[in-house]
Amino acid sequence: KGADSKGVKTIVNNITVQQTQIDINTNDADLNAKVVDATKDFPSVSATVKDGVITVTGNVEQARVQVLKQSLDALSPKRVDMSALVIK
């Protein structure tokens, strides 16, 4: 409700929303080292890094897909490609 009969004539909205800056890691050597660590608990999964994109292949149980994806997303790559991953 904008204005009513109790003396309020206008309401001014001065709220500003700032976008957060997300730093994308495009250093393939750095990402590759971190990917090895992030996938160490997934022996049936392998991942490669090219141009800041992590490509995941292999097999993983449905219950562990989200953990794997979150671990790789936390590395801030351009993208995580899990299209070749077989989910059991």
Side-chain angles (χ1 to χ4, degrees):
K1 207 172 181 181
D4 64 16
S5 61
K6 299 197 189 256
V8 177
K9 295 181 182 179
T10 62
I11 297 175
V12 178
N13 181 350
N14 291 326
I15 296 174
T16 58
V17 178
Q18 294 180 350
Q19 290 184 326
T20 55
Q21 181 68 25
I22 299 173
D23 293 325
I24 305 284
N25 187 351
T26 57
N27 181 329
D28 287 353
D30 180 54
L31 274 174
N32 206 30
K34 291 176 179 178
V35 163
V36 169
D37 185 53
T39 59
K40 70 178 184 270
D41 294 330
F42 301 90
S44 61
V45 169
S46 62
T48 57
V49 178
K50 183 175 180 184
D51 299 327
V53 176
I54 301 172
T55 303
V56 185
T57 58
N59 302 302
V60 70
E61 301 81 28
Q62 175 66 43
R64 305 222 25 207
V65 172
Q66 185 175 2
V67 173
L68 176 61
K69 179 79 163 96
Q70 288 175 340
S71 297
L72 295 173
D73 283 343
L75 305 178
S76 301
K78 282 184 185 175
R79 185 168 58 94
V80 176
D81 180 5
M82 297 179 74
S83 62
L85 186 65
V86 176
I87 300 170
K88 297 179 183 178

